[in-house]
């Protein structure tokens, strides 16, 4: 293994660690970014060109920060997003680094959205069950018939 291969291996490990530790601010920013891409039908290459305002083929932290702030994103959320997008913290991103970060983010954000939806469904069921319990408590019989139970839920 040569120095370049070792450097790439460390880079992959850092990217993997960053994917596991996505901060809430980065999650919110990536939701905005993914939603914008989906709505506009924009391709990743187009996004890269939009972010690369200097036209040098590399997206710098200031370019990303300026772009995110144009959507009203807070500085703390911008910083968490930069840590997520650029886990090796070299200050810039090339197309492959941005593409890898976006793929990771889509999986992470998708998983979070599924979890949020499932949590909401459970909370709705709990609220419905609580109403049924209150209704049953107000009736105060010693036992319920099957039909009475069905009317509670």
């Amino acid at each position: 293994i040569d120095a370049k291969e070792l450097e790439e291996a460390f880079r992959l490990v850092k990217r993997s660690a960053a994917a596991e530790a996505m901060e809430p601010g980065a999650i919110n920013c990536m939701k905005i970014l993914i939603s914008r891409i989906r709505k506009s039908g924009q391709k990743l290459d187009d996004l890269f060109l939009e972010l690369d305002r200097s036209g040098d083929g590399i997206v710098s932290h200031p370019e990303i920060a300026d772009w995110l702030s144009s959507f009203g994103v807070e500085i703390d959320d911008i910083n968490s997003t930069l840590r997520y997008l650029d886990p090796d913290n070299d200050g810039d991103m090339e197309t492959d680094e941005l593409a890898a970060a976006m793929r990771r983010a889509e999986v992470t954000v998708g998983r979070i959205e599924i979890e949020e939806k499932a949590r909401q469904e459970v909370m709705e069921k709990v609220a419905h069950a609580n109403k049924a319990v209150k209704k049953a408590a107000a009736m105060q019989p010693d036992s319920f018939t099957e039909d009475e139970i069905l009317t509670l839920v």
Side-chain angles (χ1 to χ4, degrees):
I1 188 167
D2 64 16
K4 189 172 183 173
E5 290 172 325
L6 185 60
E7 183 180 336
E8 183 59 25
F10 279 121
R11 215 174 164 180
L12 291 172
V13 168
K14 285 182 182 179
R15 283 182 185 173
S16 176
E20 293 300 318
M22 193 174 195
E23 299 171 45
I27 292 169
N28 293 335
C29 283
M30 295 312 290
K31 281 182 178 180
I32 291 168
L33 186 56
I34 290 167
S35 173
R36 186 172 185 276
I37 289 170
R38 285 178 183 159
K39 285 179 185 173
S40 70
Q42 190 175 35
K43 294 183 179 169
L44 196 54
D45 290 341
D46 297 330
L47 174 64
F48 190 84
L49 291 173
E50 182 179 340
L51 291 170
D52 182 19
R53 293 189 179 161
S54 66
D56 62 359
I58 295 173
V59 178
S60 67
H61 283 198
E63 287 171 323
I64 295 170
D66 289 347
W67 188 80
L68 288 171
S69 67
S70 74
F71 293 103
V73 176
E74 304 270 333
I75 189 69
D76 290 340
D77 291 348
I78 290 171
N79 288 331
S80 354
T81 303
L82 291 172
R83 282 189 294 275
Y84 178 76
L85 291 173
D86 188 21
D88 61 5
N89 200 28
D90 63 359
D92 56 39
M93 291 186 308
E94 295 169 352
T95 309
D96 65 330
E97 198 170 9
L98 180 62
M102 291 303 297
R103 284 192 298 273
R104 286 192 323 267
E106 281 196 275
V107 169
T108 302
V109 168
R111 187 187 76 236
I112 290 168
E113 288 172 345
I114 289 168
E115 290 171 358
E116 287 171 350
K117 184 177 179 183
R119 188 175 302 118
Q120 183 178 352
E121 289 172 357
V122 167
M123 294 307 293
E124 288 171 3
K125 288 178 182 179
V126 167
H128 187 70
N130 284 338
K131 285 180 187 177
V133 168
K134 286 180 184 177
K135 206 175 190 183
M139 294 172 70
Q140 297 183 346
D142 291 335
S143 63
F144 291 98
T145 66
E146 191 173 325
D147 289 339
E148 288 173 321
I149 292 171
L150 291 174
T151 64
L152 294 173
V153 289

